[in-house]
Each structure stands twice: as structure tokens, then as C-alpha cells.
């Protein structure tokens, strides 16, 4: 799973489908009832284009509310009687920075129970796949993990800190931020390794983030940037909607939900689909947890005060007008048929058990 909340390894942890036992998603553990309306930073208030001072960095991103962002109630508008389903990014004809309704919709999708099939549940990590997507090229997966001893704000930092991700995420090939769009939105590049012998994938995404009281959302969708066309050595995948919902359950604990709807631009073999939800996704979540535990110590040694996701004025990224970007439609990209590809011996050996992650570099 990428620092840009990228789809992870399409055909792997971030875009797979898997087992079939239908079980509704459990209620969020450890959540206590709150009194009064929840307050969130307003996405619309953060939307002014960047003729303003805040600059964002080529490294990291999110945590507490960015300076100057007002709050609004998370309660649904009284006039709305329809369920808050997701608004597909690819339904748009032009590139837009997500607004408050988009963030509410994403949260609602993360918390939804109907239509999801449980494929993995062990040691505080659960994985579901969307029943209607199981036999299609579009893959929708949801992972949830309980994080003891990890505050929500620490997990938020880890997901934003690109330099730290390069230390712990062995799936990443290359990742970097390209430009900032607003104080809470940017565009960037992410490429990752797929299970051998599948071809590796990459994406260009518009990413946005929003603190919501003690909780946080980071989400993205695919866009086209004129200076970063598809590469010959990689398959350009499409993130329809991908992101993280981080929910605080206490001063030193949280729950993270990873939701990804990705078009890997190819027909994937069944072994990839099964391995994604039953092995690769849980392993990626556990690796993220280990990285969170070690992050405070690592950060103290590596620019401890540099957090442009919290302090946008720290960012050295150039600003970019939305008009420079266009929506990445899946049908404009080449489809790769890998349905007949067999799993390599190396991948079979690596997937025999959950194994251990080498985290010796996290120092």
C-alpha cells in the first residue's frame, strides 16, 4: 500500500479479491459514544488554489488540522434522504479536489457492511472483498486493523511520510510528490511490485486528506499529468477510489480501514485474487503496524519538526493548476491479459506462511 494511499499491489494487497464466506463487517472496536456533533476540518474551506503561501513537501503529509482550516459538523444535512454511497471519481469529466460530501461518502463506504465478504480475520486484522466485483476486472477490497499502542496521529504521520515509507515498504519501486493543488491536496506518482511473474504497476493520483476531530481520512483517484505518461516497463493502473480512514479509539490506540477500488488494467489469474486477500493484504497491514511502533524513534533522528502535511508552509513543492490535469479513464489505457500466468516458485515459497518482516532498516 502506497504512501499516496495507492492501491498497494493491484493483483496484490490493494486490489485483490478472495474467499467467499459472506460476513458483515463488524462494528468498530473500542469506539465510545460521543456527545454533540463531530467537528471536522472543511474540505471546501481548504480548496482555494495555491496562489496562497502554503507549500507542501516532496516527502510526507497528514495529521492535525492545517492552520486556518475551519470546522463543520459531520452530521448529514437534514435535506438528504438518500444513503451516502460513494461518488466514483471516474464519473467525473474534469479533475476536482474532493469536497466535504466526498469525504463523508468515503467514510460511509469504509463503514458499510452490506455486500462485503469476509476473506480473512485473525489477530486484529480483517479483510473483505466486494461480492459484486469478485469475477470482474475491477477489484474492490477493504482491510481493517486494530492498532494497540499506536495513536491515530502517529499512523496519520506514517502514511504521509514518504522518506519513512522507503525504509519499511518493500513493495514500493518509486514514489514522489509532483505538485501541490491546495493546502490539503496534491498530485504524485507511485509504482509498486506485483507478485511474480506479473508486470509491475504504477499510478498518477490526486490525493487529498482531511482531519475530522480525532479521526483522519486520506484518499485518492487517478489523474493524467502531461509530464508523466505511461511507461513501457510498467502497466499504468487506475485508482477509482482508494484511501484510508483512521479512527481514534483512545489516547494510544486506533483502528485503520483501507479501502481500494482499482482497475489493474488486465485480467488477473485466480491465484493472485486469492493470495491478495488471504495473505498479501494482511501482511501489508501488519508491516504497517510495525512501522508505526518504530516511527517516533525514527522521526526524532530525521527532521523531527518537518511535517508539511501538518504545516503546509514547510512544503517545497511547486503549485499546479487543476486545469493541467485530466481524469484518467481506464478505457484509454492498454489492457494486459495475465489470466494464464502461473505463480512463480519464489512467490509460492513466500506465500506458504505469513513469515516475518525484516524491519532492521527502521532505525
Amino acid at each position: 500500500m502506497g504512501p499516496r494511499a495507492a492501491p498497494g499491489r493491484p493483483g496484490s494487497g490493494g486490489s485483490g479479491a478472495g474467499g467467499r464466506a459472506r460476513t458483515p463487517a463488524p462494528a468498530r472496536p473500542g469506539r465510545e459514544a460521543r456527545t454533540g456533533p463531530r467537528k471536522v476540518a472543511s474540505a471546501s474551506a481548504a480548496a482555494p488554489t495555491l496562489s496562497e503561501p502554503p507549500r507542501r513537501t516532496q516527502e510526507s503529509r497528514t495529521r492535525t488540522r492545517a492552520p486556518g482550516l475551519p470546522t463543520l459538523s459531520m452530521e448529514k444535512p437534514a435535506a438528504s434522504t438518500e444513503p451516502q454511497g460513494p461518488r466514483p471519481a471516474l464519473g467525473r469529466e474534469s479533475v476536482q479536489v474532493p469536497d466535504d460530501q466526498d469525504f463523508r461518502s468515503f467514510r460511509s463506504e469504509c463503514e458499510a457492511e452490506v455486500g462485503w465478504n469476509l476473506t480473512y480475520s485473525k489477530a486484529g486484522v480483517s479483510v473483505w472483498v466486494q461480492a459484486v466485483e469478485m469475477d470482474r476486472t475491477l477489484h474492490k477490497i477493504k482491510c481493517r486493523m486494530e492498532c494497540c499502542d499506536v495513536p491515530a496521529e502517529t499512523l496519520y504521520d506514517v502514511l504521509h511520510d514518504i522518506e519513512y515509507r522507503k525504509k519499511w515498504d518493500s513493495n514500493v519501486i518509486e514514489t514522489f510528490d509532483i505538485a501541490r493543488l491546495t493546502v490539503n491536496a496534491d498530485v504524485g506518482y507511485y509504482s509498486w511490485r506485483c507478485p511474480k511473474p506479473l508486470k509491475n504497476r504504477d499510478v498518477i493520483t490526486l490525493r487529498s486528506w482531511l482531519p475530522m476531530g480525532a479521526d483522519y481520512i486520506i484518499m485518492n483517484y487517478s489523474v493524467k499529468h502531461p509530464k508523466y505518461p505511461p511507461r513501457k516497463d510498467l502497466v499504468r493502473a487506475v485508482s477509482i477510489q482508494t484511501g484510508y480512514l483512521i479512527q481514534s479509539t483512545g489516547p494510544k490506540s486506533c483502528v485503520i480501514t483501507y479501502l481500494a477500488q482499482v482497475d489493474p488494467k488486465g485480467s488477473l489469474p485466480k491465484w493472485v485474487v486469492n493470495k491478495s486477500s488471504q495473505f498479501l493484504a494482511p501482511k501489508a497491514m501488519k508491516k504497517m503496524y510495525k512501522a508505526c511502533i518504530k516511527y517516533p524513534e525514527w522521526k526524532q533522528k530525521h527532521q523531527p519538526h518537518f511535517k508539511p502535511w501538518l504545516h503546509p508552509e514547510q512544503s517545497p513543492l511547486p503549485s499546479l493548476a487543476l486545469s493541467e490535469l485530466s481524469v484518467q479513464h481506464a478505457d484509454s489505457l492498454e489492457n494486459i491479459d495475465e489470466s494464464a500466468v502461473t505463480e512463480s516458485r519464489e512467490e509460492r515459497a513466500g506465500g506458504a506462511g505469513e513469515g516475518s518482516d525484516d524491519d532492521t532498516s527502521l532505525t
Side-chain angles (χ1 to χ4, degrees):
M1 305 184 205
R4 303 194 50 77
R9 301 165 66 183
S12 94
S15 64
R20 302 293 183 263
R22 178 157 191 203
T23 306
R28 292 173 288 156
R31 302 286 290 179
E32 298 180 358
R34 285 184 171 93
T35 58
R38 293 186 57 77
K39 298 291 184 179
V40 307
S42 169
S44 56
T49 54
L50 288 171
S51 53
E52 302 171 294
R55 285 186 162 248
R56 297 188 20 72
T57 141
Q58 179 159 4
E59 287 191 31
S60 4
R61 292 267 212 252
T62 82
R63 192 150 99 179
T64 207
R65 186 182 358 157
L69 293 183
T71 61
L72 60 81
S73 171
M74 272 302 291
E75 293 181 0
K76 294 179 183 179
S80 176
T81 58
E82 298 182 359
Q84 296 239 344
R87 298 200 294 175
L90 292 188
R92 298 172 174 150
E93 292 304 318
S94 63
V95 175
Q96 303 168 19
V97 173
D99 59 19
D100 297 318
Q101 182 180 343
D102 292 306
F103 282 100
R104 291 190 183 102
S105 176
F106 181 79
R107 181 181 188 128
S108 177
E109 182 75 355
C110 285
E111 295 176 340
E113 299 180 357
V114 177
W116 288 95
N117 291 343
L118 184 69
T119 61
Y120 180 97
S121 182
K122 182 179 178 181
V125 177
S126 300
V127 181
W128 297 265
V129 295
Q130 187 69 270
V132 297
E133 302 290 359
M134 281 182 178
D135 298 319
R136 303 184 184 182
T137 57
L138 294 181
H139 299 278
K140 200 167 185 180
I141 189 169
K142 178 161 60 178
C143 310
R144 184 172 297 154
M145 176 173 62
E146 302 171 34
C147 299
C148 301
D149 304 318
V150 176
E153 56 266 28
T154 297
L155 182 45
Y156 189 55
D157 283 351
V158 167
L159 291 175
H160 272 288
D161 199 322
I162 287 182
E163 291 307 309
Y164 187 57
R165 177 168 294 273
K166 294 173 183 177
K167 297 290 185 180
W168 66 268
D169 187 354
S170 58
N171 294 331
V172 64
I173 298 173
E174 185 179 15
T175 181
F176 53 86
D177 299 331
I178 297 170
R180 57 195 172 97
L181 302 171
T182 69
V183 295
N184 71 324
D186 65 12
V187 60
Y189 175 85
Y190 182 73
S191 60
W192 67 98
R193 296 177 180 87
C194 291
K196 294 179 179 179
L198 297 182
K199 296 189 177 191
N200 296 328
R201 262 70 173 176
D202 71 351
V203 287
I204 300 289
T205 58
L206 185 157
R207 181 180 63 167
S208 56
W209 54 94
L210 189 67
M212 302 162 54
D215 302 339
Y216 308 88
I217 287 178
I218 310 172
M219 61 184 187
N220 74 51
Y221 67 92
S222 282
V223 295
K224 289 194 288 187
H225 190 293
K227 294 184 179 179
Y228 297 91
R231 293 168 45 172
K232 294 182 179 180
D233 59 328
L234 297 168
V235 176
R236 177 63 51 89
V238 177
S239 169
I240 298 173
Q241 183 181 56
T242 304
Y244 301 91
L245 169 64
I246 306 168
Q247 299 170 294
S248 176
T249 56
K252 295 184 178 181
S253 63
C254 65
V255 171
I256 180 171
T257 302
Y258 171 71
L259 177 66
Q261 184 173 0
V262 175
D263 187 340
K265 294 312 300 173
S267 300
L268 299 176
K270 189 173 182 179
W271 66 264
V272 172
V273 169
N274 292 334
K275 187 171 184 177
S276 297
S277 60
Q278 298 174 20
F279 174 69
L280 298 174
K283 183 177 180 180
M285 296 295 276
K286 293 172 184 176
K287 201 167 189 179
M288 181 193 301
Y289 174 77
K290 289 183 179 181
C292 289
I293 294 294
K294 293 178 175 289
Y295 182 71
E297 180 181 357
W298 180 90
K299 188 60 176 173
Q300 281 300 314
K301 302 174 183 177
H302 301 83
Q303 296 182 289
H305 302 297
F306 182 72
K307 296 182 178 182
W309 53 96
L310 302 182
H311 311 291
E313 69 278 4
Q314 293 180 346
S315 173
L317 286 180
S319 61
L320 182 70
L322 284 175
S323 59
E324 296 294 315
L325 304 172
S326 56
V327 175
Q328 178 66 77
H329 293 286
D331 56 11
S332 68
L333 294 169
E334 181 183 3
N335 248 328
I336 307 296
D337 185 1
E338 297 178 295
S339 57
V341 172
T342 58
E343 187 175 15
S344 70
R345 182 176 302 177
E346 179 182 348
E347 283 291 333
R348 284 197 297 271
E354 295 192 6
S356 59
D357 295 322
D358 179 11
D359 55 7
T360 56
S361 63
L362 304 184
T363 55

